[in-house]
């Protein structure tokens, strides 16, 4: 992403991974989609966008947790060539 991890924490996922931005769907759709991906227990390939606006391929593994009753998704990221 051409940045440090601290600058990415808490940013909306839609601003980082292009393929999870399904138009104007509500946040609940994104939450259900991510929950579905968590059940697959493997890596998923997405297009990501870096700080300069360039796109690149990225693989993501997702785990879901609950914190104070709200869903929290932990994403592990890797470049496809690191697989």
């Amino acid at each position: 992403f051409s940045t440090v991890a601290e600058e990415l924490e808490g940013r909306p996922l839609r601003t980082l991974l292009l393929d999870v931005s399904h138009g104007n769907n509500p946040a609940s759709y994104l939450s259900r989609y991510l929950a579905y991906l968590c059940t697959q227990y493997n890596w998923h390939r997405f297009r990501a966008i870096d700080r300069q606006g360039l796109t690149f391929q990225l693989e993501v593994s997702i785990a879901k947790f609950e914190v104070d009753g709200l869903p929290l998704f932990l994403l592990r990221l890797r470049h496809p060539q690191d697989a």
Side-chain angles (χ1 to χ4, degrees):
F1 293 102
S2 301
T3 189
V4 294
E6 289 79 19
E7 291 181 15
L8 297 175
E9 279 184 26
R11 283 191 47 197
L13 196 55
R14 295 172 193 258
T15 66
L16 304 172
L17 300 178
L18 298 176
D19 299 324
V20 299
S21 299
H22 295 284
N24 293 325
N25 289 322
S28 62
Y29 173 84
L30 178 59
S31 182
R32 288 191 310 270
Y33 178 60
L34 292 175
Y36 165 75
L37 292 178
C38 291
T39 65
Q40 303 302 307
Y41 300 111
N42 52 19
W43 292 90
H44 306 280
R45 190 169 286 196
F46 290 96
R47 287 179 307 131
I49 187 165
D50 72 9
R51 177 173 169 176
Q52 285 81 32
L54 302 172
T55 61
F56 60 97
Q57 290 291 312
L58 190 65
E59 290 184 342
V60 180
S61 175
I62 305 170
K64 182 180 178 184
F65 301 92
E66 284 203 15
V67 177
D68 296 328
L70 298 172
L72 175 71
F73 295 95
L74 175 66
L75 281 67
R76 295 182 347 185
L77 310 173
R78 70 180 183 190
H79 287 281
Q81 65 266 20
D82 294 340

